[in-house]
Amino acid sequence: MHVSVRVPRALYCRRLAVTPIIKTQWWQTHCASCQARSSSSETSPKVVTVEGRQYKTDEWMNTPASILSAIAKRLHLQPDHPLSITRQLIESRFLDHKYYNRLFPIVSVNQNFDALEFPHDHPGRSRTDTYYINKETVLRTHTSAHQADTFRANESSGYLISADVYRRDAVDRSHYPVFHQMEGAKSWDRNCLGSYGTLAERVWADVANIPSHTIKVEDPNPTIHPERNPLQSTYHSVEEAEAMAAHLKRSLEDVVVTIFTAARAAAVAAGDTTASTQEPLRVRWVEAYFPFTSPSWELEVFWQGDWLEILGCGIVRQSILNNAGVSSRLGWAFGLGLERIAMLLFSIPDIRLFWSSDPRFLSQFSATGPIQRFVPFSRHPACFKDVSFWISSTSRSAGGQVAHASARDFHENDVMELARDVAGDLVEDVRLVDEFVHPKTGRKSLCYRINYRSLERTLTNEETNDLHEKFRQQLVKNLGVELR
Ligand code: DAH
């Protein structure tokens, strides 16, 4: 059994460079059972309608209808859903913040990237990583897409945004193309210091009001490092940055203590006596980089033998606040993945379960009372199948309309998405198990293993064979590979 040890879904700091792939628009032909409709005419531009909003598509469109149909679900708002319970647990630590939980997921490239100062060549902007509707419009890839607008609205000194976000990515038990994030921010106004002489003093007074904890925090690096984690020296004094960083770190440590205390209580109540329920909680701060904060950090928690990345955060780039018309304010922001936290809070083993409508899953959670560990229902057998193909070819012997994929324009996320598109939630994971380059021809061969498993029933052999054959044919048709 493949147990995923991938690093968490890349926070936007360390993504690998990828080459965009421009292929036929196969999103147009899939998933008829979707509330998102494309116009009947075969000629461009087409229009997609999502919850009454119309968008013209162009050659950037790469969003399958199956992805658009997830928009209506809003799992983070479903009563008694584990994602909703997790959201409320975190919200309970920020009672004076304003909560935004219904922001629409289709945003502009400007909101998602430009306003946050993502460089133009940032890999996150690529069509292999992000769902585009047209050149200017994407499905938000993170809740930070609403930072600039929320700062501009200036309705509260602190806010939380919880929402569905969308990324083209791997297929496995901890990655799903739609997931949920929470964004948080807190800012202070230089013109409203009350009885305090300086903004730093004002912030330190707020730090004193954060509940204290006794957990072990490793924080070996200086708050500011001239190369690795610079101060925004044009705008902030060292004292201001130190005070805001302390407020940020203490607020988020408080969140982590709340989550892990609840997770442990649930584990103990379920009779779990393993080491992780006994040992004192350990957390550590790690230096990070995000285009929209400086200095920046990640918070990691030691959980079941591994350091687990929980969130990214930092001091908001002053240019973002200035551009949002609130130049007298300065502050911090963070972003975290709700699935990752809910999975460890409730011991949920597979990210697909969040999308289940099976009462055996949903009936186990309640927003009132203590967190209860998920009791897995019987696991149905998995069935894995391999597919091998050449991605670099000079012949057209594989047939099909599309020119053969070359090593240059092939991207693994296209394989992942095709698997999802053909098999939906019946695919548990997809991973590369072999690759080699032919010594004479220079052609590259890849072998992927697809693990088919239903969370709700046992798949028949025939059904799995059919799915796999369809997947193989789609690889040829859409990616132009040559099957071996
Ligand atoms: N938007 C980032 C991501 O999805 C997470 C994040 C990091 C949000 C730092 C923030 C922040 O607000 O300050 O990877």
Side-chain angles (χ1 to χ4, degrees):
M1 171 53 51
H2 163 56
V3 177
S4 170
V5 288
R6 289 170 55 90
V7 288
R9 178 181 295 273
L11 290 158
Y12 273 126
C13 58
R14 299 195 194 113
R15 310 201 84 163
L16 298 172
V18 287
T19 317
I21 182 168
I22 311 280
K23 288 283 172 200
T24 48
Q25 270 98 56
W26 46 275
W27 59 272
Q28 291 166 349
T29 58
H30 288 264
C31 296
S33 62
C34 165
Q35 50 113 53
R37 290 169 288 114
S38 59
S39 71
S40 54
S41 146
E42 278 304 305
T43 53
S44 278
K46 291 185 188 291
V47 170
V48 285
T49 306
V50 184
E51 300 190 351
R53 301 172 198 229
Q54 294 200 329
Y55 301 89
K56 266 192 190 161
T57 66
D58 61 17
E59 69 282 4
W60 282 72
M61 171 67 163
N62 63 351
T63 311
S66 57
I67 292 292
L68 291 174
S69 70
I71 291 177
K73 297 278 183 4
R74 297 186 169 82
L75 298 182
H76 62 294
L77 296 179
Q78 307 239 331
D80 295 331
H81 192 280
L83 291 173
S84 174
I85 298 172
T86 305
R87 167 183 62 79
Q88 292 172 67
L89 185 63
I90 304 173
E91 285 176 349
S92 74
R93 309 312 297 172
F94 294 99
L95 290 176
D96 60 344
H97 283 224
K98 186 171 164 78
Y99 312 145
Y100 297 90
N101 292 333
R102 294 189 170 275
L103 298 174
F104 197 65
I106 300 181
V107 301
S108 65
V109 167
N110 183 70
Q111 288 169 299
N112 201 80
F113 296 120
D114 303 334
L116 294 162
E117 308 194 351
F118 276 67
H120 283 288
D121 60 353
H122 193 283
R125 293 179 182 258
S126 143
R127 287 176 77 242
T128 56
D129 287 30
T130 294
Y131 290 110
Y132 280 83
I133 302 288
N134 58 46
K135 191 174 190 301
E136 300 299 331
T137 314
V138 294
L139 266 65
R140 69 182 155 222
T141 62
H142 55 169
T143 42
S144 307
H146 301 288
Q147 249 194 37
D149 294 340
T150 315
F151 283 128
R152 185 172 297 109
N154 200 11
E155 294 177 323
S156 162
S157 69
Y159 63 78
L160 295 178
I161 299 168
S162 299
D164 39 325
V165 300
Y166 300 77
R167 288 188 201 169
R168 301 185 79 217
D169 206 338
V171 172
D172 63 37
R173 280 194 277 156
S174 56
H175 291 85
Y176 202 83
V178 189
F179 60 107
H180 298 77
Q181 286 189 332
M182 182 188 276
E183 183 87 4
K186 167 83 184 168
S187 62
W188 292 266
D189 191 333
R190 286 192 189 287
N191 299 332
C192 299
L193 298 183
S195 56
Y196 299 98
T198 65
L199 188 119
E201 279 174 33
R202 162 89 213 268
V203 176
W204 279 112
D206 286 346
V207 175
N209 289 327
I210 302 170
S212 56
H213 62 71
T214 53
I215 60 166
K216 200 164 167 256
V217 180
E218 296 171 31
D219 193 4
N221 296 303
T223 305
I224 294 156
H225 185 280
E227 285 97 41
R228 298 193 313 256
N229 229 354
L231 174 75
Q232 300 177 54
S233 53
T234 315
Y235 302 108
H236 303 158
S237 68
V238 172
E239 293 73 23
E240 287 167 345
E242 290 282 0
M244 289 190 288
H247 192 275
L248 166 64
K249 288 180 177 176
R250 291 282 298 281
S251 303
L252 294 172
E253 287 161 13
D254 176 65
V255 168
V256 164
V257 170
T258 305
I259 291 166
F260 284 82
T261 306
R264 280 183 167 187
V268 170
D272 184 341
T273 51
T274 55
S276 65
T277 60
Q278 326 267 313
E279 281 169 16
L281 186 58
R282 287 167 65 195
V283 304
R284 70 178 182 196
W285 287 101
V286 178
E287 290 176 336
Y289 168 78
F290 303 102
F292 37 95
T293 49
S294 191
S296 311
W297 301 275
E298 284 163 0
L299 179 54
E300 297 184 345
V301 176
F302 198 71
W303 182 249
Q304 296 177 344
D306 275 322
W307 284 103
L308 195 71
E309 187 190 314
I310 290 291
L311 55 84
C313 62
I315 305 299
V316 179
R317 274 205 183 279
Q318 198 58 38
S319 46
I320 296 174
L321 291 154
N322 294 354
N323 292 338
V326 286
S327 55
S328 62
R329 303 196 75 89
L330 50 166
W332 55 250
F334 73 86
L336 55 79
L338 286 173
E339 273 82 352
R340 160 161 282 223
I341 291 177
M343 283 174 91
L344 62 90
L345 195 52
F346 297 95
S347 302
I348 294 173
D350 188 313
I351 198 165
R352 290 175 298 168
L353 281 162
F354 291 111
W355 298 88
S356 171
S357 52
D358 189 329
R360 288 175 301 170
F361 176 74
L362 290 174
S363 66
Q364 293 198 30
F365 309 99
S366 163
T368 52
I371 301 287
Q372 303 272 340
R373 246 196 184 188
F374 169 63
V375 182
F377 32 92
S378 63
R379 242 173 142 226
H380 298 278
C383 175
F384 70 78
K385 298 203 178 288
D386 291 350
V387 56
S388 303
F389 51 80
W390 298 105
I391 58 168
S392 173
S393 169
T394 46
S395 82
R396 293 185 63 89
S397 57
Q401 301 299 309
V402 185
H404 286 146
S406 73
R408 194 184 51 76
D409 65 6
F410 176 84
H411 194 283
E412 180 162 285
N413 281 351
D414 295 319
V415 176
M416 301 293 170
E417 187 156 280
L418 269 187
R420 288 257 188 237
D421 209 51
V422 168
D425 285 358
L426 301 181
V427 53
E428 180 169 279
D429 65 44
V430 179
R431 63 188 171 119
L432 186 65
V433 287
D434 191 31
E435 71 183 298
F436 81 95
V437 176
H438 192 284
K440 288 209 175 108
T441 60
R443 295 168 87 201
K444 188 171 186 181
S445 165
L446 300 176
C447 177
Y448 281 90
R449 177 157 299 168
I450 324 303
N451 214 6
Y452 296 95
R453 187 204 304 267
S454 165
L455 293 168
E456 284 154 15
R457 63 196 171 83
T458 300
L459 297 175
T460 65
N461 239 339
E462 207 183 6
E463 201 176 359
T464 322
N465 284 339
D466 283 355
L467 284 174
H468 195 62
E469 189 47 37
K470 208 168 154 208
F471 176 55
R472 285 162 49 89
Q473 296 313 323
Q474 293 294 330
L475 284 169
V476 173
K477 188 161 171 241
N478 293 301
L479 304 188
V481 307
E482 184 180 338
L483 297 176
R484 301 186 55 202

